[in-house]
Structure formats: C-alpha cells, structure tokens
C-alpha cells in the first residue's frame, strides 16, 4: 500500500531556548493512503468554502469569528476514522541535552526527534512519501539524510521521498498544523479559559472522550508519544551535514 504523511511542528525553539516559555516541543504527522488524498482534500476545501475561509487556516489563526470552522474541521477529522490518522511526538525540553547527545546542534536534535516520530509507524511492505512544512535549515541535506535513515531502518518498506512544501500550498499541512497546535496547547498547559482556542480544544476532547495526553503505543487515531529521555538518549547515527 502507498501512504502519504504530512508533518508540521510546534515550538521547535524550545530545544535551544535559555528562557523557555513552554515545556514541550511537539512534532505532528497526518497519515493517509495515497489513493484517498484527492477525496480528503476536496472535503477540506468544501468545508473551507462553506465557512468562507480564505488563505491559510492554522492553529494560530483560531479566533472567535472562525471558531465554528475550527470546531467543524476537528470534528470532520475525528469522523474520518482510520482513513486519517494523527501521531505526534512531545519532547520535554528540560530533558534534552544538546551538548552531550546532539553535538550542541539544535537542528540535528530536531531531526532526530522527527525520525522517532515517523519510524515507529512505518510498516513492512508499504511505500511512504513524507511531506514536511518548509523551514530553512543550516544543513541543506537534512531531509535527504532523514529519508535515508528511515529507509535503512525499515528494510521491508520503502520511504520514497521526504520533501518540504510550503503550508500555504497544502491544506493537509494546514490541517496537521491545527492538530499539532491543539496538542501542544494542551500539553503545555497554556490554556486561556473561555478563549476560542480553549473552546475548539474542549470540543475535540469531548468528541474523543478524554483530554489530550500521552497515549498507549497502539492508539491509531490520535497518538501522542511523550518520549522519555531521562533514562537514555535517542541514538540515531547521522553524518555531519554536507553541501549538495
């Protein structure tokens, strides 16, 4: 089977901040069969048109005037069942030692956690194309190295590509931005009571029947992996960056 994975992150600055304004960096991913992509995109566009949403939709744009749209988009996601699945990794910045384990390189550490997010949901005998929100990297081969690392560690599957796309060009990147932002909002306990974001979050959690929190490994719809770094380190051998 062929799958597509769309990814975005919330608060990557926490990995290197000397005065962090939060606890968890969150990287999120949206998983779907490639054959379902066009249908899913069409349904999102239909919902956007219904609520007259122009331009990008994203977690930072949740407002009272658009609250109903965001409640409907997370409700629609929930109703899609296993056709559309979400997994995120939550990294406690207080447990990250960049100097000891990541060559004092925030960018390197960031992509090691990206690997941990994706690796455990790549299954044998499938083919995967991964799309990440565009960001400027100091090392130009980060995504190429990530793809090779995923491919080498999943020998019975194929990771055909890991490529960056701009969020304004993809409603699926925009959707994963909303889900990732919502997870980070809950995990970082930065909720403003009665705000539009709090209402959207509460609406989703009522649908799910529980607050967003670390889930068991087998959770398939909304999987939250709160990685524990206290007892060790993410060990992923990666070469120094090279220039194409």
């Amino acid at each position: 089977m062929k799958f597509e994975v769309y990814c975005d992150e919330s608060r990557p600055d926490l990995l290197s901040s000397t005065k962090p304004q939060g606890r968890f960096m969150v990287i999120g991913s949206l998983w779907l069969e490639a054959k379902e992509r066009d249908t899913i995109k069409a349904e999102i566009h239909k919902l956007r048109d219904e609520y007259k949403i122009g331009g990008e939709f994203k977690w930072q744009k949740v407002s009272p005037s658009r609250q109903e749209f965001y409640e409907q988009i997370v409700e629609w996601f929930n109703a899609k069942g296993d056709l559309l699945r979400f997994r995120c990794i939550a990294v406690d910045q207080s447990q990250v030692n960049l100097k000891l384990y990541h060559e004092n390189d925030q960018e390197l550490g960031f992509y090691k956690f990206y690997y941990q997010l994706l690796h455990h949901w790549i299954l044998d005998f499938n083919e995967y194309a991964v799309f990440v929100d565009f960001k400027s990297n100091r090392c130009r081969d980060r995504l190429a190295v990530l793809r090779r690392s995923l491919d080498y560690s999943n020998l019975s599957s194929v990771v055909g590509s890991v490529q960056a796309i701009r969020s304004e060009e993809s409603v699926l990147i925009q959707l994963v931005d909303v889900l990732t932002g919502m997870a980070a909002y809950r995990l970082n306990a930065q909720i403003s009571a009665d705000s539009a974001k709090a209402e959207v979050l509460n609406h989703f959690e009522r649908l799910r029947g529980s607050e967003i929190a670390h889930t068991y490994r087998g959770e398939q719809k909304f999987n939250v992996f709160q990685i524990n770094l206290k007892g060790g380190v993410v060990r992923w051998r990666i070469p120094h960056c090279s220039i194409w």
Side-chain angles (χ1 to χ4, degrees):
M1 298 175 67
K2 294 184 177 181
F3 289 89
E4 293 182 353
V5 188
Y6 295 82
C7 307
D8 196 13
E9 70 277 349
S10 176
R11 304 303 306 277
D13 57 292
L14 291 176
L15 289 189
S16 57
S17 176
T18 57
K19 296 181 179 180
Q21 300 299 307
R23 180 180 174 186
F24 292 103
M25 176 192 77
V26 181
I27 309 174
S29 56
L30 190 70
W31 300 67
L32 61 147
E33 285 190 53
K35 67 180 183 180
E36 301 291 341
R37 180 209 323 118
D38 291 344
T39 299
I40 286 171
K41 287 174 62 177
E43 291 180 13
I44 294 174
H45 281 292
K46 181 179 179 181
L47 198 56
R48 279 178 34 148
D49 291 345
E50 181 181 343
Y51 286 91
K52 297 180 173 57
I53 302 297
E56 282 188 82
F57 66 91
K58 54 197 310 183
W59 182 249
Q60 289 300 324
K61 289 189 175 182
V62 175
S63 64
S65 64
R66 294 186 170 187
Q67 178 181 324
E68 187 175 356
F69 165 74
Y70 285 97
E71 289 180 350
Q72 289 302 305
I73 199 75
V74 299
E75 186 170 328
W76 169 85
F77 161 78
N78 192 61
K80 297 304 290 183
D82 289 344
L83 287 178
L84 206 53
R85 300 179 297 133
F86 176 80
R87 171 176 165 84
C88 69
I89 183 172
V91 182
D92 186 339
Q93 57 83 24
S94 69
Q95 297 180 8
V96 177
N97 190 325
L98 291 176
K99 185 175 181 179
L100 185 60
Y101 297 123
H102 307 289
E103 302 176 24
N104 207 26
D105 187 336
Q106 183 267 349
E107 186 178 284
L108 174 60
F110 175 76
Y111 282 103
K112 285 184 180 182
F113 293 122
Y114 236 118
Y115 171 88
Q116 290 294 321
L117 166 73
L118 298 169
H119 168 60
H120 299 288
W121 265 24
I122 291 175
L123 303 179
D124 292 343
F125 312 118
N126 292 324
E127 183 176 341
Y128 296 85
V130 181
F131 303 90
V132 305
D133 190 18
F134 177 84
K135 67 192 299 290
S136 297
N137 292 319
R138 188 186 70 262
C139 294
R140 294 172 58 189
D141 64 349
R142 290 296 193 203
L143 298 184
V145 172
L146 176 59
R147 188 205 68 79
R148 289 199 301 271
S149 299
L150 289 167
D151 212 32
Y152 292 161
S153 60
N154 296 275
L155 296 179
S156 296
S157 58
V158 175
V159 181
S161 62
V162 178
Q163 66 183 83
I165 55 177
R166 296 187 182 276
S167 59
E168 61 267 25
E169 299 172 356
S170 171
V171 292
L172 294 171
I173 292 286
Q174 293 169 41
L175 176 58
V176 75
D177 176 282
V178 172
L179 299 175
T180 303
M182 186 167 57
Y185 193 60
R186 168 58 74 191
L187 295 173
N188 282 303
Q190 296 176 327
I191 300 167
S192 300
D194 300 323
S195 67
K197 286 182 178 178
E199 291 299 323
V200 173
L201 172 64
N202 291 336
H203 181 70
F204 180 73
E205 290 178 334
R206 284 193 294 270
L207 292 170
R208 299 294 301 158
S210 62
E211 286 190 359
I212 292 173
H214 178 68
T215 60
Y216 62 90
R217 185 170 182 172
E219 166 61 35
Q220 292 294 304
K221 181 60 180 177
F222 199 92
N223 184 290
V224 179
F225 171 32
Q226 187 174 317
I227 190 168
N228 183 3
L229 300 175
K230 287 182 178 179
V233 58
V234 177
R235 298 192 182 278
W236 176 30
R237 185 175 177 82
I238 181 170
H240 291 285
C241 54
S242 57
I243 302 299
W244 287 341

